[in-house]
Amino acid sequence: MARAWTTWFTGWHWRERILHFTPSWFTVTMGTGMVIQVLVNFPYPAQWLRDLAYVFWILNICLFSLFSAFLVTRFVWFPVLLLNTLDDFSQSNFLGAIPVGFHTIVVGLVAFYGQREAAVRVAYALYWVSVAMTLAVSLGSVSITFTKQRPHHLESVTGVWLLSFVPMVVTSATGASLLPYLKYPENTTVLITSFLMWSLGQSCCLMVLTIYFWRLMAYDVPARDAIVSCFIPLGPLGQGSYAIQGQAKFLSTYIRDTAFQPGPGPGSGSGPLSTETKLAVAEVINWLGIVVGLFLIGHATFWLVEAASCLIVRIPKAFNIGFWSFTFPLGAYANAVSVLARELRNDGLRGWAATCTVAVMLLWVFCAVGTVHKGFWKGELFYAPGLEGWIAEGQKGEKRNDDRPQFKRKQSKAQRHLDDYWAASRAGRDDGTYRITQHRRGAADEEGGGRRQPNGLLEDGMTAAEAVGGGREAGKAHRGEGLNTGQANF
């Protein structure tokens, strides 16, 4: 217990956590934000559920702010890690979790303060910020994957591949939540943008799902630590169903309640549409959204059954940050079913949505307890594979230049942080040598044997250079795999 308190309050341990902080931690904000939506849209509404959702919204804002500060600090201390994060497929995919977590905050603002004009204006501005973040992450990460990263193999395909395109679908869902509170012309602009994002995101996700389905058919199910990635397809399909229903309902209401007149415009020779025609068109659009949403829910139900069967066959042995892939996808699925139940007035769908919502809440509690205990309390979930090797490679050129008189300069902040990192990890011996203390073991150490002892320490006599080299090789071995036990393993 004393050691745990020392770990919690010692400044060095928090510096180490920041050093090992990766974008995969933003999946926590994704799951927490989805809890807000399922509570607000619960098929059996109650005021205490909205109050509880508000508490989760405040918590999500705090978590997103904390994680953003951690990530920015990490990249400021070690700028080389930003480039290597983009170059590492197992980490660059999780950049999509950042805009998704931001979207959930915007949706909460609309849900709790939608009747206030100032809040709507703020949400409208944040919506465009989220659109910019989504396009930068989704399109940018794919471009980097095509041009900079090493080739990928079919066997390495997991549900994580969807995280690059999920933000586009979530953007469309955020726009659908915002539409009823906007006025012309902002509402039509958001409607068009949201539908384009929905179209682009759904088409890309369906392409990836096709590849993923063939990977499951050609090879075995994902590894035990990555088995929860089988639930990720529920995310874009559930959010897509919710988004298209919201957009269709708004457009239907817009046509019915306004002087909407499609066509070339005045002077074209065509008269205005009759009231009966506009009502019929509006009803068709509304039902078209319901039908498309029902189709996507049917597709998501298939993946839910398959993911549950895979989980039963290969149950994970230890908790890792990847378990948060349970909450957001299943929450997106429950949220879409809740909207369908309300539109169709179906008691069966209402009961199924309530069951899924309860499951989401239980999974969130389980993941929260595991994250607080193993992550923030013990620090075992903070792990970036090959970190020491990346930093050493980034500092290699600096050290070469320092050996040349014409390039003599002050030691950089990144190099000072690196020296502090190794100094705090060294355990001295009587003969003046030292060994490097490691607080966690990666998948390469467990599966390949490595050179680690059972207590997690490097072998006696191993030098710091050997340790750094081992880190570099581990980073190269894991780049593109995403199957380590410390980061978000999907």
Side-chain angles (χ1 to χ4, degrees):
M1 178 61 70
R3 182 178 180 181
W5 280 104
T6 303
T7 300
W8 178 260
F9 286 107
T10 302
W12 156 249
H13 288 284
W14 279 106
R15 290 197 297 272
E16 184 187 17
R17 286 172 170 85
I18 293 174
L19 184 62
H20 286 272
F21 190 84
T22 61
S24 59
W25 275 85
F26 282 88
T27 56
V28 178
T29 63
M30 289 175 57
T32 305
M34 184 49 63
V35 168
I36 302 169
Q37 299 183 43
V38 298
L39 291 176
V40 170
N41 295 317
F42 193 69
Y44 303 99
Q47 183 59 41
W48 69 271
L49 290 176
R50 288 188 62 88
D51 296 338
L52 181 60
Y54 188 83
V55 173
F56 274 98
W57 182 58
I58 298 298
L59 174 62
N60 199 37
I61 294 175
C62 296
L63 289 175
F64 188 86
S65 302
L66 177 65
F67 292 169
S68 299
F70 277 11
L71 195 64
V72 171
T73 303
R74 180 180 190 251
F75 291 150
V76 169
W77 283 358
F78 300 99
V80 67
L81 294 182
L82 175 59
L83 300 178
N84 282 281
T85 296
L86 297 176
D87 188 52
D88 184 1
F89 187 72
S90 65
Q91 294 193 40
S92 62
N93 266 324
F94 291 103
L95 292 174
I98 300 176
V100 173
F102 186 77
H103 282 300
T104 60
I105 297 176
V106 179
V107 172
L109 179 62
V110 174
F112 299 115
Y113 296 102
Q115 305 303 325
R116 300 184 182 182
E117 184 176 355
V120 173
R121 289 297 174 184
V122 172
Y124 180 70
L126 293 178
Y127 169 79
W128 291 111
V129 173
S130 64
V131 169
M133 293 173 58
T134 296
L135 293 177
V137 170
S138 297
L139 302 183
S141 63
V142 173
S143 299
I144 292 175
T145 302
F146 289 167
T147 59
K148 298 297 183 181
Q149 297 177 359
R150 68 179 187 177
H152 303 283
H153 303 285
L154 180 62
E155 189 176 2
S156 65
V157 177
T158 63
V160 178
W161 284 40
L162 291 167
L163 290 179
S164 296
F165 308 108
V166 168
M168 291 187 286
V169 183
V170 178
T171 301
S172 66
T174 304
S177 301
L178 184 60
L179 281 173
Y181 304 95
L182 296 176
K183 299 178 181 179
Y184 181 84
E186 288 86 356
N187 51 13
T188 55
T189 304
V190 171
L191 174 63
I192 294 172
T193 303
S194 298
F195 183 76
L196 290 175
M197 298 292 284
W198 180 87
S199 304
L200 181 58
Q202 283 295 321
S203 59
C204 292
C205 288
L206 290 176
M207 287 189 292
V208 174
L209 284 175
T210 302
I211 300 173
Y212 182 49
F213 181 80
W214 173 242
R215 175 252 184 270
L216 293 177
M217 296 290 291
Y219 299 93
D220 198 1
V221 297
R224 194 177 299 273
D225 289 331
I227 195 65
V228 291
S229 65
C230 295
F231 286 87
I232 294 182
L234 274 69
L237 295 174
Q239 283 290 86
S241 175
Y242 173 82
I244 197 62
Q245 290 180 75
Q247 294 169 19
K249 184 175 182 178
F250 167 78
L251 183 56
S252 173
T253 304
Y254 182 78
I255 293 174
R256 184 186 301 111
D257 298 341
T258 63
F260 178 75
Q261 179 60 41
S268 61
S270 60
L273 293 177
S274 63
T275 302
E276 292 77 9
T277 302
K278 290 200 299 182
L279 291 177
V281 171
E283 193 67 19
V284 168
I285 291 176
N286 184 45
W287 276 101
L288 185 61
I290 294 175
V291 170
V292 175
L294 194 59
F295 163 78
L296 292 175
I297 284 298
H299 191 181
T301 303
F302 164 78
W303 286 106
L304 175 62
V305 175
E306 295 303 319
S309 62
C310 292
L311 183 64
I312 294 174
V313 171
R314 190 165 291 179
I315 300 176
K317 293 183 178 180
F319 177 83
N320 59 67
I321 200 67
F323 276 54
W324 282 97
S325 65
F326 279 123
T327 54
F328 180 84
L330 186 58
Y333 177 83
N335 194 41
V337 176
S338 296
V339 175
L340 273 175
R342 184 171 63 244
E343 294 295 326
L344 297 176
R345 300 177 180 85
N346 186 280
D347 292 335
L349 287 176
R350 186 178 291 112
W352 177 237
T355 302
C356 293
T357 300
V358 172
V360 171
M361 295 302 302
L362 294 176
L363 288 172
W364 186 91
V365 172
F366 170 76
C367 293
V369 172
T371 302
V372 171
H373 176 65
K374 297 193 65 175
F376 287 96
W377 183 256
K378 301 178 67 176
E380 295 179 358
L381 299 182
F382 291 90
Y383 176 70
L387 175 67
E388 295 84 357
W390 285 349
I391 298 176
E393 290 175 356
Q395 302 300 328
K396 189 180 298 182
E398 178 181 330
K399 292 180 179 178
R400 283 199 301 265
N401 289 338
D402 287 343
D403 294 335
R404 301 166 61 182
Q406 62 271 33
F407 287 100
K408 287 292 182 180
R409 50 191 171 89
K410 294 177 63 177
Q411 188 182 40
S412 69
K413 183 182 294 186
Q415 182 63 43
R416 291 198 300 272
H417 282 298
L418 179 61
D419 293 341
D420 292 341
Y421 175 78
W422 285 114
S425 302
R426 293 169 181 170
R429 298 193 185 92
D430 295 335
D431 59 0
T433 61
Y434 59 86
R435 59 181 178 179
I436 306 298
T437 303
Q438 297 290 335
H439 302 287
R440 58 191 62 80
R441 299 180 64 187
D445 306 316
E446 296 177 353
E447 297 176 3
R451 298 179 59 188
R452 299 185 188 275
Q453 299 174 0
N455 61 0
L457 302 179
L458 298 178
E459 287 184 354
D460 291 348
M462 191 174 185
T463 65
E466 290 173 331
V468 172
R472 185 184 305 113
E473 294 303 321
K476 292 180 180 179
H478 282 78
R479 207 164 291 171
E481 299 296 331
L483 296 179
N484 60 81
T485 60
Q487 71 172 55
N489 308 316
F490 292 142

